[in-house]
Amino acid sequence: MATARGRAAAAGGWASGRRAGTMASLAEPPASRAPSRSPALSPAAGPSRCGGERRRNASHAGADLGAVQDTQLRSVDLNHVIKLLEDSDSKDLEKEQLKTLKKVVKRFENGLPLKDLAQVIEILNLCAEKMNEQEAFTEPLCELIKLCGLPFQKKKLSDEVSYSVAVSKSIAQLAYLMRVPSSQVRIQICKCVVSFYNTESPRKLLSGYQPTSANYKIQMAELGGLAETLVLSLALVENQLNEKLWVLKALQHLSSSGVNCRLMMKAQAASRLCLYLNGVDPSGQLVFRSSEILWNLLENTSKEEVVNQLSSLECVHALKEVFVDLLMHGFRHYDRQLRNDLLVLATLLAENPAAPMIESGFAKLLIVLATFTEVKIPNPLVKGLKLTYSYEDFELKKLLFNVIGVLSKDPCAVQLLSENDVIPALLYYVKPNQKPGFHDWSAAQYEELQLHAIAILASVAPLLVDKYLSCQANTLLLVFLEWCIGQDPFFGQGNSFHGTGGRGNKLAQMRYSLRVLRSVVSLYDDAVNLNLCDQGAISQLLDILKYAANKSKEKEDAILLEIQADILFLLSVLCENDLHRKELFSYEGVDILIPFIQMDPKKLHSGLGHNCLLFSALDCLWSCVIGCYIAEDYFLEKQGIFLLLDLLALKQKNLCNIILGILVEFCDNPKTTLHISTWRGEKDQTAANLLIQLWRQEELELGVKRDRYGRIVDMKRPIASSFQKQQEVIPMPASCRSFAIMEISENIRAKLYSLLCKLGFENLPGLSAKDFVTLAIIRHYIDFKVGEVWSELCAELKEEFRPVASDEEALKVISEISEDTGRMIAALQTEVLESQHHQEIQEEEKAYTKIQAIHKQKEMVNKSWENFLTRTSNYEALKKAKRLQEKSIEASRSKSKTQNGAVHSTDIKGLGTTIGSGRLVTVESTPPQLIGGPLAVTDFALRKSSVCEGALKKIKRVKTLDSVKKDSIPV
């Protein structure tokens, strides 16, 4: 809107910046200005000696006369003037009144004091009354009104506040003077209002006064409701063009304020101004000023209120006529801009369903204008019309495309869109731009029109499916998409709104082409989908998806993510419920899906669209993989179930529902449960533990009552949410689902129950006692849900009927069964908790026993060490310990003596320690003295090596080991 409008500014001459040159050439409405009068100065009488002396005498005389006149002016009594004007008319009295009015004008020629303003306005009203019979009062009245245009003057700083009520009423009285049937007076009033916005300081001030603030008059005009009165006065000047233009100029200034705009809307300003648009005005100011005021109303007040006022048939006709006139006969730059401004107003009207755009024929005209250059079909509505390739006509083309998009939302306009070949006209742009400056549009302009047309096609195509198919639109779009991923050189300009992100590439074209396909595919029309698949759309879409995914690795942005999400949606719709298409998708599609499911969870909150992309990938997985065993097995081979469980472990509310649904569907494949059971999360978490945690989290959010151990509290309604318990019993027909049934689809508990049923409730690994308590509830979810339904049924029956005894007994038994189930589960939960508690006590006792043994061992080690220190420091204690040791050794020996056997002593004679002496054994057999030989000498025998050298070495090793062990063996 702002582009077409040129952002008309409300500064300077109150014309838009782009129109300034044009409007400067437009003649201002002629204004009647009273000639300025000053008192005549008569030369002094008498002879003069020279010219210089005469000039000095004249100067002195003039100064004296001026002083006298100033004294007379200062003495003007406004009350006397009012009383004089109120007297009966006579010829002599009229002259006196006119003379007095001239004195008043002269007295306040530099501005009106705030304290005198109310009396001056009263004088104005009296003059207006006299004008009906005496035209001589016209000029004084205009002069007095002109004084009101000068800055008001104040004596104190507080005067602005003190006189605010009186000043606002006085300014409002100016507008009421529009009732005076005088063109001169009305124009002077408008000039006075325009002068409010002149910020020039007065050249001369009254003695002791200072001007009011620059915006003071504007504020007082808002307070007094001047704008509303001026709008109403338009009815008085309806047939006087010059006066009407001045009123519009004043309103144009006033409409820069939101307060004034609201006052003007109370007087139906929008509809009044629109009706003047097609009035006769050679200067063109009527349309210009009226449209500018309408734009100010749109910007400063409620757009809906303005549009509602413009939605009458008369206003639409007036708007249409002036638009057609500017379209066919406007040749100036300004005319084209004004035409575009009016087209934006028409677009706003088209958005209002109550506006009679179709009935007036305006809608058909705009559609024909939007398509006649592309379809080349002769139409009398545009006979002789030829658009140029100027910037204004380029803007017109875009605005007309926009109107088609707006009209596509109105079901009544569909027939018009079909009859005027909108689909072929938009498809004209679904082709690559082969060379710069295609036709006479520049490359950038053609690209902008192309993207705009394809964007509008996405809105229109679903409404005209038959026309869409007859024009082979799917083929054109697929060929165009093939060009989008091609290698031929093309550098998009990316200048427009629709070209965002498309600079130097073809992503913008790809984005809007996919939007068109998405809009028609989302209709789930078999003819459209079959037409696409027959042309190899699935394979081509996978290639485009792979291309976009590779581009996204280089640099991620919102447009690439949107493109990928749209392609995944298209594949989901095309492959859903069709096994053959799923097989086409299977291997290549699964390889592309896996990276999306492996997405970094941190990206989900980036704001670029990763969240939407992940949901699209999960939806594509559900629609394109599940139900096709080839695709399912390949997905399992790629560890897809593990990836889904990793996502589920994030416990994000918006992801859990769809992932659980996918897992439940996947469990129809017998290989899936093994994958789920094998999965391990963080801290070795199992899938069963994760599902049970999700159940507890869901019940916490639903407000289901549980005690601190997770046991059932309400035996009658064990799984009812807090919201469900608040619902009153409302009898409903059998075809309507009760709240207990509707609640199943509103949370994930049913999916968790289904998934655990697939896994089985026995021998689930990695569960704690708390998990088993929750698992007992999950296992009987269906029983509890059936009990809820019966409870609702009983309540509804009792609301309207009284059951017979047998039925009442049956209902009672059913209710008791549900309660008994709840008690049974509660008892089972208590048993599990008690068993867990008993097990914890046993483990605690074992831990304490182990701790006691460790402490006892430490005490024994400490005591042994103390005894050792005592023996090493006290010889008597050592002797005592030795005796005890020998006594202990002797007591440990067998009492029965071996017959005919030698007894060998294990003691080492002369040893004074209590430490074990090792395995040294002295064998006493035949004395060496009796045998003789070299062994007879004891000392030599001790020095001689053992007969068995190996045995001796073994003995040495044993001694070495014994010496090492002495430090660790307690004494």
Side-chain angles (χ1 to χ4, degrees), residues 192-263:
C192 177
V193 174
V194 172
S195 68
F196 290 177
Y197 295 85
N198 181 14
T199 57
E200 293 182 7
S201 301
R203 289 170 294 180
K204 188 176 179 182
L205 295 173
L206 295 175
S207 177
Y209 287 86
Q210 56 183 334
T212 56
S213 57
N215 294 327
Y216 182 68
K217 282 187 178 180
I218 299 174
Q219 295 171 358
M220 294 300 103
E222 293 173 355
L223 188 62
L226 175 67
E228 182 180 1
T229 310
L230 276 182
V231 171
L232 295 174
S233 70
L234 281 171
L236 301 175
V237 298
E238 189 170 354
N239 299 320
Q240 286 80 32
L241 177 61
N242 197 26
E243 298 171 26
K244 188 193 300 184
L245 291 176
W246 272 105
V247 174
L248 291 176
K249 184 176 182 179
L251 289 174
Q252 186 179 349
H253 283 75
L254 292 170
S255 64
S256 61
S257 159
V259 176
N260 286 332
C261 285
R262 287 188 288 274
L263 291 169

Side-chain angles (χ1 to χ4, degrees), residues 17-85:
R18 67 182 185 183
R19 298 176 181 146
T22 305
M23 292 311 299
S25 62
L26 298 178
E28 282 274 340
S32 58
R33 296 181 180 271
S36 57
R37 295 177 297 278
S38 56
L41 299 179
S42 302
S48 61
R49 290 173 292 179
C50 65
E53 186 175 352
R54 285 196 300 270
R55 284 194 295 272
R56 284 196 299 272
N57 292 338
S59 175
H60 292 313
D64 295 340
L65 180 60
V68 173
Q69 289 178 343
D70 286 345
T71 303
Q72 292 175 350
L73 289 173
R74 283 196 295 272
S75 62
V76 171
D77 186 359
L78 294 179
N79 290 324
H80 172 71
V81 175
I82 293 171
K83 186 176 181 182
L84 180 64
L85 292 173

Side-chain angles (χ1 to χ4, degrees), residues 474-508:
N474 282 334
T475 306
L476 292 173
L477 288 166
L478 291 176
V479 171
F480 190 60
L481 285 171
E482 188 67 28
W483 170 79
C484 289
I485 62 173
Q487 298 299 323
D488 60 320
F490 173 79
F491 300 99
Q493 302 297 317
N495 295 328
S496 65
F497 167 78
H498 296 97
T500 304
R503 189 171 186 81
N505 54 56
K506 308 170 190 174
L507 292 180

Side-chain angles (χ1 to χ4, degrees), residues 230-239 241 244-245 247-248 251 268-281 285-288 290-291 293-294 314-315 318-319 322:
L230 276 182
V231 171
L232 295 174
S233 70
L234 281 171
L236 301 175
V237 298
E238 189 170 354
N239 299 320
L241 177 61
K244 188 193 300 184
L245 291 176
V247 174
L248 291 176
L251 289 174
Q268 302 293 312
S271 58
R272 290 174 183 269
L273 293 169
C274 189
L275 293 175
Y276 295 145
L277 285 175
N278 58 346
V280 178
D281 177 24
Q285 289 193 68
L286 183 63
V287 178
F288 165 71
S290 299
S291 63
I293 297 170
L294 287 174
E314 295 79 5
C315 288
L319 187 61
V322 69

